[in-house]
Amino acid sequence: MTPKRGFVNRPYAVFALAVFLLSACASKCALASETTIRYEYKVLSLGSLSALQKDSAAGAKLSEMEAVLNESGSDGWEMVSIFAVRTTFDPNVFFAVLKRQIPDTKKEGENP
C-alpha cells in the first residue's frame, strides 16, 4: 500500500498557499475601498509547541512565545490568524500571521 501524497505530507505547500491567499486578499480589499488603508503582513514561526504538553517545559516555552509576540506587538504588529503545519516529525508546528497598517504618505491633492 502506497502512502497518499497530498498537502498533508507537504507542509511547505500549505504554507505557500496561505501566504499567496493572504496577499491576494490584501490587494482586493485595498481596491474595494475609496479611502485605502494598506497593511503589510508577515508570517512568524512560533515553532513546535510539543513542549506545552510537558509540565516541566511548558512555562519556559510559554514565556518564549509571549516574548516573541510582545516584541512584534510593540512594533505595531497585530495577530490576524494562527495555523499549524503538520509534519511526520512534529504535528504541532505553528505559524502566526501578523499585520500592521502602512502609514499613508500621499498628501492631499496628489493623484495616485
Side-chain angles (χ1 to χ4, degrees):
M1 185 172 194
T2 60
K4 282 187 172 182
R5 293 206 170 250
F7 285 118
V8 175
N9 293 335
R10 298 175 189 230
Y12 296 109
V14 174
F15 176 73
L17 179 62
V19 171
F20 172 76
L21 291 174
L22 281 172
S23 64
C25 178
S27 64
K28 281 189 175 186
C29 292
L31 293 175
S33 174
E34 189 173 311
T35 58
T36 304
I37 299 174
R38 298 180 308 149
Y39 295 97
E40 63 181 324
Y41 293 86
K42 78 175 181 176
V43 178
L44 180 66
S45 173
L46 298 176
S48 173
L49 301 183
S50 294
L52 296 179
Q53 297 172 352
K54 300 175 180 92
D55 291 335
S56 61
K61 185 63 179 178
L62 283 174
S63 295
E64 178 186 334
M65 286 176 31
E66 288 171 356
V68 168
L69 292 172
N70 285 333
E71 181 180 342
S72 295
S74 66
D75 291 337
W77 293 97
E78 175 185 350
M79 187 184 312
V80 176
S81 103
I82 188 167
F83 63 94
V85 176
R86 296 175 185 241
T87 66
T88 55
F89 302 109
D90 190 352
N92 297 319
V93 178
F94 285 84
F95 293 89
V97 178
L98 306 170
K99 74 174 184 178
R100 72 176 170 188
Q101 188 172 351
I102 299 173
D104 190 13
T105 57
K106 186 177 81 171
K107 297 178 183 172
E108 284 188 35
E110 287 184 356
N111 290 331

